[in-house]
Amino acid sequence: MSPQQVQSIARELLHAHDHASLTTSIATRDPDFDLDAAYLVAAELMRVRRIRGSRPVGRKIGFTNRSIWALYGVDAPMWAHVYDDTVSYAQGGRAQVSLAGTVSPRMEPEIAFKLRAPIPVGCTDAEQLLRSAEWYAHSVEIVHSHFDWKFKLADATADWACHARLVIGEPRAIREEDIPALARALPEVKAALLKGGVRQIEGLGADVLGSPAYALGFLADLLAKQAFMQPLVAGELISTGTISDALPVRAGETWSTEITGLPVQNLTITYTD
């Protein structure tokens, strides 16, 4: 796609973002709009967001859960930046999250990491991948869609990879002696979403590309092919993707998570306007 086409699509998505409005699938309208073009749009949107004063503090990886690909009509993961004004930390396992400005918001239980070093490219060893991380935590991402969840992968990728908010629980330091056990535990971790205390859905860490640790490797490998994107650096937050399907949330509701298999804090989130 031409630079003019990329900028036109970026303006369309920025308008949808600013007005919490819907648009229709770009990939359906324009067969030239593929995944490579989507990342060029994403880079332009990141540039605009930085000009507006938002600071990138990490990345979110979406659609790493292969068990939900058929539900959304996608066949690969994707990523986008997260920002200082979209990331927050729970206090005592609780958080209040405004849904203002979101469109068809949903909630995802995830595992997040903070990097101590760049992730090695081409690495398929979970323990080695985990050595790039300073800490891990249970997190919840609030995702939304300016396409009302009727999209192709390129659409979702350009649309900030559906990112709206990221709430991170209490971090747990990753010590060298703990890495083998953590590598074994991550595929076995279970995450449930509860609405008003009633269990709604549960997922398994192995559905996230085999392990949330492998999601780190996916991101490093993809970024190595994207010279127009910033490389990973120490200090970045990485959200590795949902362990279960994402479920719709509304203002006035209180949801909680239940994590088994890892010594992390469950989260309770109250949603507001």
Side-chain angles (χ1 to χ4, degrees):
M1 302 193 83
S2 70
Q4 292 76 20
Q5 288 173 299
V6 168
Q7 290 177 359
S8 176
I9 294 168
R11 286 194 297 270
E12 177 181 341
L13 290 176
L14 194 63
H15 181 274
H17 175 270
D18 290 344
H19 296 86
S21 59
L22 291 173
T23 190
T24 58
S25 166
I26 300 160
T28 299
R29 285 181 268 145
D30 187 345
D32 291 334
F33 186 65
D34 58 12
L35 200 54
D36 290 337
Y39 279 114
L40 292 174
V41 171
E44 172 64 12
L45 288 171
M46 189 270 286
R47 185 187 70 83
V48 172
R49 202 152 178 169
R50 292 188 71 167
I51 290 173
R52 291 180 168 194
S54 296
R55 181 174 62 89
V57 294
R59 329 273 174 134
K60 64 80 47 96
I61 318 173
F63 293 131
T64 50
N65 190 320
R66 292 174 292 203
S67 74
I68 65 173
W69 284 1
L71 297 175
Y72 294 91
V74 302
D75 58 3
M78 41 67 159
W79 74 272
H81 287 91
V82 299
Y83 298 86
D84 56 352
D85 53 7
T86 66
V87 175
S88 62
Y89 288 82
Q91 301 297 316
R94 305 186 71 88
Q96 190 174 87
V97 174
S98 170
L99 296 177
T102 64
V103 179
S104 302
R106 300 183 180 190
M107 174 183 183
E108 300 182 342
E110 307 195 0
I111 299 297
F113 296 91
K114 181 180 179 181
L115 298 185
R116 71 168 79 246
I119 301 166
V121 175
C123 180
T124 58
D125 181 85
E127 292 185 23
Q128 188 62 29
L129 290 166
L130 291 171
R131 289 188 177 92
S132 296
E134 175 183 338
W135 53 250
Y136 70 97
H138 168 43
S139 60
V140 163
E141 187 181 16
I142 293 82
V143 291
H144 69 152
S145 172
H146 295 106
F147 302 101
D148 200 24
W149 302 103
K150 301 176 183 70
F151 50 54
K152 296 185 182 298
L153 181 60
D155 298 316
T157 300
D159 192 24
W160 283 280
C162 305
H163 174 68
R165 315 272 192 272
L166 178 64
V167 180
I168 298 176
E170 184 178 4
R172 294 192 62 88
I174 297 178
R175 303 177 301 176
E176 177 64 29
E177 59 266 32
D178 298 333
I179 286 176
L182 179 58
R184 292 191 299 270
L186 283 168
E188 302 300 323
V189 65
K190 293 181 180 179
L193 291 178
L194 296 84
K195 178 182 178 182
V198 179
R199 183 182 297 259
Q200 304 292 315
I201 197 171
E202 182 178 276
L204 186 66
D207 289 331
V208 181
L209 297 181
S211 168
Y214 294 136
L216 298 175
F218 162 83
L219 180 60
D221 291 352
L222 181 55
L223 283 169
K225 304 173 185 176
Q226 296 178 333
F228 54 92
M229 290 293 193
Q230 296 173 316
L232 292 168
V233 297
E236 286 200 60
L237 303 171
I238 309 294
S239 182
T240 55
T242 188
I243 297 174
S244 72
D245 190 12
L247 295 185
V249 295
R250 300 177 65 178
E253 295 176 345
T254 296
W255 287 71
S256 57
T257 63
E258 185 179 277
I259 305 294
T260 55
L262 281 178
V264 293
Q265 187 179 52
N266 296 328
L267 296 175
T268 298
I269 298 179
T270 299
Y271 294 102
T272 66
D273 290 319

